[in-house]
């Protein structure tokens, strides 16, 4: 049973449109091709807004998210700032903004004369965190919401949150549906339901 902010937000939007949401859990790498081919109507996963994505699909912006660095429970390596990742290895989900930001971070460290970061990619966040759990890497790179969830469970430490704050958006193929989703969001905000959901999930 899928749970979380995006599930609740998707269901609330669908209800406004007199529809029933059907959530399909897939790897991020297939989400954009899937919405382009019509396999699903909307990407609802905290996808970062980029100009390149705006050229190939309809994007409805609805919030902000950032990149977080998670450490093993208790943060034994005392990671507290990006420079602490110099010479370290990190795990990250393949193909999304966290991977891109991890590579930018590594490059910025090199430009400061520090050792780069060794980046290991995985199919999803769960696999990336499993690599951290068993000690294959020194840290995991994800989005703030994912890192916070793992941190609240007590499994990992949210060591460096809030890096690269960026707009997040729903992705859709059809403009009429995108406009309807935007209108539904406007109504949810006016009613206070939008803020209530975001507050509930921190």
């Amino acid at each position: 049973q899928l749970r979380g902010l995006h599930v609740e937000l998707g269901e609330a939007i669908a209800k406004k449109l007199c529809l029933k949401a059907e959530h399909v859990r897939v790897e991020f790498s297939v989400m954009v091709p899937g919405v382009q081919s019509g396999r699903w109507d909307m990407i609802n996963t905290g996808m970062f807004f980029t100009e390149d994505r705006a050229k190939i699909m309809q994007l409805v912006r609805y919030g902000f998210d950032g990149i977080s660095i998670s450490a093993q429970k208790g943060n034994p390596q005392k990671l507290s700032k990006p420079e602490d990742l110099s010479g370290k290895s990190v795990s990250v989900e393949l193909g999304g903004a966290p991977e891109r930001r991890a590579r930018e971070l590594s490059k910025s460290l090199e430009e400061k004369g520090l050792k780069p970061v060794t980046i290991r990619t995985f199919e999803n966040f769960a696999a990336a965190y499993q690599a951290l759990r068993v000690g294959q890497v020194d840290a995991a790179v994800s989005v703030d919401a994912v890192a916070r969830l793992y941190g609240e469970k007590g499994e990992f430490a949210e060591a460096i949150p809030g890096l690269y704050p960026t707009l997040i958006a729903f992705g859709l193929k059809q403009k009429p549906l995108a406009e309807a989703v935007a209108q539904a969001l406007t109504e949810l905000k006016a009613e206070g339901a939008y803020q209530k959901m975001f507050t509930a999930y921190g």
Side-chain angles (χ1 to χ4, degrees), residues 70-77 132-135 137-138 155-157:
S70 293
Q72 287 185 327
K73 188 175 181 178
N75 194 5
Q77 300 194 48
L132 176 58
R133 178 181 282 111
V134 299
V137 294
D138 300 302
E155 297 179 38
F156 302 94

Side-chain angles (χ1 to χ4, degrees), residues 96-112:
E99 181 192 356
R100 187 176 72 252
R101 293 301 195 187
R103 297 192 186 284
E104 289 175 9
L105 175 60
S106 181
K107 185 177 179 181
S108 72
L109 294 177
E110 284 190 275
E111 290 170 351
K112 294 177 182 177

Side-chain angles (χ1 to χ4, degrees), residues 65-175:
D65 207 349
I67 303 298
S68 275
I69 310 297
S70 293
Q72 287 185 327
K73 188 175 181 178
N75 194 5
Q77 300 194 48
K78 307 300 182 194
L79 303 177
S80 63
K81 57 187 184 301
E83 289 76 12
D84 294 338
L85 293 173
S86 174
K88 300 274 196 305
S89 60
V90 302
S91 57
V92 66
E93 181 183 61
L94 176 68
E99 181 192 356
R100 187 176 72 252
R101 293 301 195 187
R103 297 192 186 284
E104 289 175 9
L105 175 60
S106 181
K107 185 177 179 181
S108 72
L109 294 177
E110 284 190 275
E111 290 170 351
K112 294 177 182 177
L114 300 172
K115 291 181 180 179
V117 179
T118 299
I119 299 168
R120 297 190 59 198
T121 58
F122 294 83
E123 281 297 309
N124 51 51
F125 285 133
Y129 273 88
Q130 179 61 18
L132 176 58
R133 178 181 282 111
V134 299
Q136 293 177 352
V137 294
D138 300 302
V141 182
S142 65
V143 294
D144 283 344
V146 171
R148 188 176 303 116
L149 177 64
Y150 278 114
E152 288 173 353
K153 288 181 176 180
E155 297 179 38
F156 302 94
E158 191 181 4
I160 313 173
L163 300 173
Y164 307 105
T166 307
L167 279 164
I168 52 176
F170 300 121
L172 306 98
K173 181 180 181 180
Q174 299 180 356
K175 188 172 182 178

Side-chain angles (χ1 to χ4, degrees), residues 1-8 11 23 25 149 153 201:
Q1 180 67 38
L2 296 178
R3 296 170 52 204
L5 170 64
H6 290 98
V7 175
E8 289 188 21
E11 289 175 348
H23 293 96
R25 187 182 184 280
L149 177 64
K153 288 181 176 180
Y201 287 94

